[in-house]
Amino acid sequence: MATGPGTAGSGADREDPKNEQLEAFRAHPAQDLLTTDQGVRIDDTDNSLRVGERGPTLLEDFQAREKLTHFDHERIPERVVHARGSAAYGYFEAYASLADLTCADFLSEAGLRTPVFVRFSTVQGPRGSADTVRDVRGFATKFYTREGNYDLVGNNMPVFFIQDAIKFPDFVHAVKPEPHNEMPTGGTAHDTFWDFCSLQPESTHMLMWAMSDRAIPRSLRMMQGFGVHTFRFVTADGRGTFVKFHWRPKLGVASQVWDEAQITAGKDPDFHRRDLWEAIEGGDYPEWELGVQLVAEQDETGFDFDILDATKLIPEEEVPVRVIGRMVLDRNPENFFAETEQAAFHTANVVPGIDFSNDPLLQGRNFSYLDTQLIRLGGPNFSQLPVNRPIADVNHNHRDGYGQQVIHSGTSYAPNSLNGDNPHQAGQDRQPGVFQHYQQRVDGDTIRKRSGSFSDHYSQATLFWNSMADWEKQHIVQAFRFELGKVENRAIRKRMVDNLTHVDHGLASAVAAGIGVDVPEQTGTANHGRSSAALSQQNLLPGDPGTRKVALLAADGVDVASAAALQSLLKQHSVTVEVLAAHDGSLHDGNGEGTLPVTRALPTTASVLYDAVVVAGGAESARTLAADPDTRRFVEEAWRHGKPIGALDGGAYVLPPYGPADPAGLSDSSDSRTPTASDLQEGVVVAAPGENGVDDFADAFLAALAAHRFPDRPPVLT
Ligand code: HDE
């Protein structure tokens, strides 16, 4: 087993056939002399071969030529969409046999574990763009099953912008940066995107998701995932059932707020990547449950929408989600390029027991993913790259091509007599472990036409809007105002507002008021009033603060005992407390009773990188902090972003509602300043003086952390 940077701890030690396979390809740091690609030992890689010390370099210098040539070819094209991504390995574990629904081997047995590789991504931005942009997130899972690779290439939202794959190039050309000036990077707040969407009402439902907080996740570990399309489960005897896939994060669904996301993009553009990496390195393995919505073949047309239309979801009130297994990510890749960048997902990578529906978006994707890898990975042999290799045996007659890694012998055609007609075909009779397409009867005229059953573009957008909590609605309005407010062309703004009147007149009016568009007339489409509780993030919070990160602000004179006690109490709930101070090193206790190690110096970090902030106890520390503009900004920013805010004894002085501008007003005995519970605003927790102070504080603070945000707290400090 490899060790060193990039190799996670215990997760790497479990039994894992994919990891064993990868080991054969790993090159560990050499403890030997430097060589050329040809294995020739080199004396000097710092100086090129030249004529005299100050003379020209010689073409004969094969070492310099090789080194530079390799370097010149180190880049491959980035993905045309989903270029920025982060990935991890892990396993999927089935809860029970699903043999009555599908013959898929990896779903055939309770407890059966299948290795997986999951890549999360943003869609619009290039490889180097920031993580916390407003965007859809990709959620692509490769299951290395015993019957071959199965890829579930999904997103963190259950619907899509368009209904037919032939529109994808138009959509992507519109969403990508503007063609003349390559702006903006990573976001959709520009004319071409809104021009397209305002003319393409089928995008409206997805726009509601994209303008909601789902598009600015707190963490990749706190997002749902969806297969989006309707797929099919198929049993050993060929019976089909329509299926929609759902990933549900154990940590609940949580988001940043927009101001926070924008600041994070500058403070730490790798915020999500780092969060995923560090969680896995630290043993906080992210986990999701896999759920399915099942629809019998005969019920295909029994909904008031078409289940083949990817701009629609199946409300969970109509078809509940059945949980069938869980996925744990417990190992970081070792080499970003080799694994995360070269991973090739494909919707048509299915295994026996899983098949497609006629969703025209899915049908097109089944062409596009293989096609794109041919240019991105330079030829047809990319499935031989270590990350893409199945753990199942591979036997075929494909030969040659760029980068062929296999020395095949014998015949490469069928039928043959020279190799006993091997590899031989399984034949048409159903046999276990052999892929057979679902047999469906198809009959119709050749026609280039959208089905009438795809024509309702607004009902589910309204359903989504109606299902939001008030604060979610506010965020959606603000997002539309932000995005459309950046659109230069006023006609596009107006057209988009007109579209929104079909979703909800109040929504359209609120957006219009912010972007200089006349509030529209009430149109014919009245709000149907239906809602679905499963769509609101308000109902998807974890109820468990595990893996959250708390900033403990402190200065010399800190009460070390209470700070250390808090760190250890929260650690028991997998909550990390980092001590931040104006300088690195350690802080002295006000009572001369020890020191508190500083985790990070304040200038190297930022409020947006934490889930909550606590001001440490100790009068001298509080006095220093209250006078420090960086500390005040830190706390105020957390306040504005609705985060839990706490203070240990004496620290309350620094909290915005209590701290006077003049720190000299603080008496040495801070007790008299401790606010009572009724003074406190939502999400503000202050330790009472006394022995149980820290314990009680920890309990109340953990509850506040589990609530994630306090959107009803006044955003402006008073
Ligand atoms: Fe993709 N998509 N897509 N997509 N997609 C790609 O494949 C495409 C769609 C999704 O981490 C590309 O390897 C078409 C829906 C993810 O490597 C490309 C259509 C959903 C990823 C492509 C769609 C997705 C991709 C670019 C319309 C959610 C990243 C590079 C029919 C269910 C996978 C690549 C990874 C990547 C085509 C629509 C998810 C060009 C034609 C709907 C997560 O082939």
Side-chain angles (χ1 to χ4, degrees):
M1 169 50 47
T3 55
T7 306
S10 57
D13 299 331
R14 66 183 159 73
E15 195 179 320
D16 181 345
K18 181 63 192 176
N19 194 26
E20 282 163 30
Q21 183 195 56
L22 289 175
E23 182 57 16
F25 296 93
R26 288 188 181 122
H28 303 297
Q31 307 296 323
D32 209 337
L33 290 178
L34 188 69
T35 74
T36 62
D37 281 356
Q38 309 305 319
V40 176
R41 292 175 168 183
I42 294 177
D43 61 342
D44 176 359
T45 186
D46 297 334
N47 295 292
S48 42
L49 188 67
R50 54 185 79 108
V51 185
E53 286 181 10
R54 301 181 62 252
T57 303
L58 292 172
L59 189 59
E60 184 186 320
D61 187 353
F62 62 88
Q63 298 174 31
R65 274 192 286 123
E66 182 192 80
K67 187 174 174 182
L68 289 172
T69 307
H70 194 279
F71 168 76
D72 292 344
H73 295 261
E74 279 177 5
R75 290 293 171 272
I76 62 171
E78 65 175 29
R79 289 165 175 82
V80 57
V81 281
H82 297 265
R84 169 131 188 118
S86 306
Y89 293 95
Y91 60 87
F92 172 79
E93 185 178 276
Y95 284 158
S97 166
L98 288 192
D100 56 330
L101 289 165
T102 169
C103 58
D105 173 67
F106 77 105
L107 299 172
S108 67
E109 197 184 317
L112 180 66
R113 286 187 175 187
T114 299
V116 296
F117 181 74
V118 179
R119 182 173 179 272
F120 302 102
S121 46
T122 54
V123 179
Q124 199 262 17
R127 260 188 72 178
S129 52
D131 279 342
T132 58
V133 292
R134 176 178 295 283
D135 199 356
V136 183
R137 298 301 187 286
F139 190 139
T141 307
K142 191 180 283 296
F143 297 78
Y144 303 97
T145 88
R146 297 185 294 201
E147 295 179 334
N149 287 354
Y150 168 50
D151 293 354
L152 180 55
V153 195
N155 278 344
N156 74 331
M157 299 177 193
V159 289
F160 201 63
F161 291 98
I162 48 170
Q163 297 173 321
D164 188 321
I166 200 168
K167 294 299 299 166
F168 195 62
D170 298 300
F171 167 70
V172 174
H173 291 168
V175 72
K176 280 279 181 179
E178 305 258 332
H180 57 300
N181 59 14
E182 182 87 349
M183 293 194 276
T185 298
T188 51
H190 59 113
D191 283 46
T192 54
F193 175 73
W194 288 100
D195 186 30
F196 176 86
C197 289
S198 62
L199 292 167
Q200 197 71 36
E202 70 202 50
S203 64
T204 311
H205 184 198
M206 180 63 164
L207 283 176
M208 296 298 294
W209 286 82
M211 293 303 109
S212 80
D213 288 358
R214 303 292 187 123
I216 41 174
R218 154 67 181 86
S219 160
L220 302 171
R221 304 175 292 128
M222 299 171 194
M223 306 188 311
Q224 283 175 302
F226 301 91
V228 175
H229 312 280
T230 300
F231 293 88
R232 264 198 180 92
F233 273 158
V234 185
T235 58
D237 58 0
R239 278 181 297 112
T241 307
F242 291 109
V243 57
K244 290 243 188 204
F245 292 105
H246 296 241
W247 289 114
R248 294 176 156 183
K250 199 175 157 196
L251 294 171
V253 180
S255 294
Q256 295 194 305
V257 294
W258 181 225
D259 182 65
E260 179 189 14
Q262 290 177 89
I263 300 172
T264 310
K267 293 286 184 182
D268 185 3
D270 305 311
F271 183 66
H272 285 153
R273 177 175 289 183
R274 190 183 314 283
D275 169 271
L276 179 68
W277 180 274
E278 288 182 351
I280 293 175
E281 289 298 300
D284 286 326
Y285 302 139
E287 189 171 330
W288 286 261
E289 283 195 312
L290 181 63
V292 289
Q293 283 179 299
L294 301 166
V295 176
E297 291 278 334
Q298 64 271 22
D299 297 336
E300 179 179 358
T301 55
F303 299 89
D304 60 3
F305 54 88
D306 198 321
I307 64 167
L308 301 185
D309 173 359
T311 67
K312 307 294 185 301
L313 50 82
I314 306 182
E316 292 186 27
E317 288 74 12
E318 291 185 49
V319 180
V321 174
R322 173 172 161 191
V323 173
I324 62 170
R326 70 183 185 119
M327 176 169 78
V328 177
L329 298 183
D330 63 359
R331 190 158 55 80
N332 280 318
E334 280 175 77
N335 183 294
F336 186 90
F337 178 82
E339 296 165 281
T340 308
E341 196 57 16
Q342 293 199 112
F345 293 90
H346 184 13
T347 46
N349 286 351
V350 286
V351 287
I354 298 190
D355 213 322
F356 315 114
S357 70
N358 293 339
D359 173 345
L361 201 67
L362 174 59
Q363 298 271 323
R365 292 180 76 197
N366 285 343
F367 163 75
S368 204
Y369 286 72
L370 174 57
D371 185 42
T372 200
Q373 314 305 351
L374 294 176
I375 183 147
R376 195 171 71 81
L377 298 169
N381 292 315
F382 60 85
S383 61
Q384 296 177 20
L385 292 167
V387 66
N388 296 326
R389 278 180 184 244
I391 56 167
D393 289 345
V394 174
N395 306 306
H396 51 59
N397 290 323
H398 306 159
R399 292 292 182 273
D400 310 344
Y402 285 112
Q404 177 59 259
Q405 303 293 305
V406 181
I407 304 172
H408 293 104
S409 57
T411 59
S412 55
Y413 54 86
N416 71 65
S417 66
L418 297 179
N419 189 31
D421 203 23
N422 283 307
H424 53 280
Q425 300 167 44
Q428 296 292 315
D429 299 334
R430 293 199 168 271
Q431 304 179 31
V434 175
F435 189 89
Q436 298 240 284
H437 289 275
Y438 177 74
Q439 289 184 12
Q440 62 171 329
R441 192 178 164 73
V442 180
D443 189 17
D445 298 328
T446 309
I447 187 169
R448 222 181 249 290
K449 185 167 182 271
R450 205 75 60 88
S451 165
S453 56
F454 280 42
S455 63
D456 169 11
H457 303 317
Y458 299 115
S459 294
Q460 289 208 349
T462 306
L463 182 81
F464 184 77
W465 171 252
N466 291 346
S467 309
M468 297 293 104
D470 284 348
W471 61 270
E472 290 178 291
K473 285 185 173 170
Q474 270 176 30
H475 289 183
I476 290 171
V477 170
Q478 286 160 3
F480 271 114
R481 284 178 167 195
F482 179 93
E483 297 262 321
L484 290 170
K486 294 214 169 211
V487 169
E488 302 288 339
N489 183 312
R490 299 284 166 145
I492 296 174
R493 296 188 188 190
K494 167 134 189 9
R495 197 161 55 223
M496 198 55 228
V497 167
D498 287 345
N499 268 1
L500 293 179
T501 60
H502 298 283
V503 180
D504 181 79
H505 189 255
L507 164 67
S509 306
V511 172
I515 57 169
V517 167
D518 289 341
V519 175
E521 298 286 312
Q522 171 78 54
T523 62
T525 323
N527 188 319
H528 53 59
R530 290 191 300 274
S531 62
S532 167
L535 302 179
S536 167
Q537 278 185 249
Q538 179 81 42
N539 303 324
L540 297 169
L541 286 167
D544 175 349
T547 81
R548 300 294 173 128
K549 225 165 133 183
V550 176
L552 182 67
L553 301 179
D556 276 325
V558 61
D559 178 352
V560 170
S562 63
L566 182 69
Q567 278 186 307
S568 104
L569 284 168
L570 297 199
K571 185 82 210 150
Q572 291 166 20
H573 296 266
S574 298
V575 173
T576 306
V577 179
E578 294 194 348
V579 177
L580 309 184
H583 58 82
D584 222 324
S586 55
L587 299 172
H588 303 291
D589 188 305
N591 309 321
E593 284 173 9
T595 54
L596 183 68
V598 174
T599 318
R600 277 172 226 286
L602 212 54
T604 67
T605 185
S607 183
V608 290
L609 308 181
Y610 296 86
D611 292 294
V613 56
V614 177
V615 182
E620 190 192 331
S621 164
R623 201 178 290 126
T624 309
L625 292 176
D628 174 27
D630 289 341
T631 303
R632 294 187 78 89
R633 178 179 164 195
F634 198 102
V635 177
E636 283 170 12
E637 210 162 80
W639 184 281
R640 186 148 45 93
H641 298 150
K643 294 177 179 174
I645 295 191
L648 294 174
D649 191 17
Y653 175 72
V654 182
L655 298 191
Y658 304 107
D662 173 14
L666 180 65
S667 71
D668 276 347
S669 158
S670 54
D671 297 6
S672 58
R673 302 197 58 81
T674 303
T676 63
S678 60
D679 292 336
L680 297 176
Q681 304 233 32
E682 267 191 306
V684 181
V685 185
V686 172
E691 265 188 14
N692 293 331
V694 179
D695 292 83
D696 294 345
F697 173 87
D699 289 345
F701 199 72
L702 285 166
L705 265 181
H708 184 58
R709 291 298 149 91
F710 297 89
D712 296 332
R713 193 168 67 198
V716 182
L717 303 176
T718 48

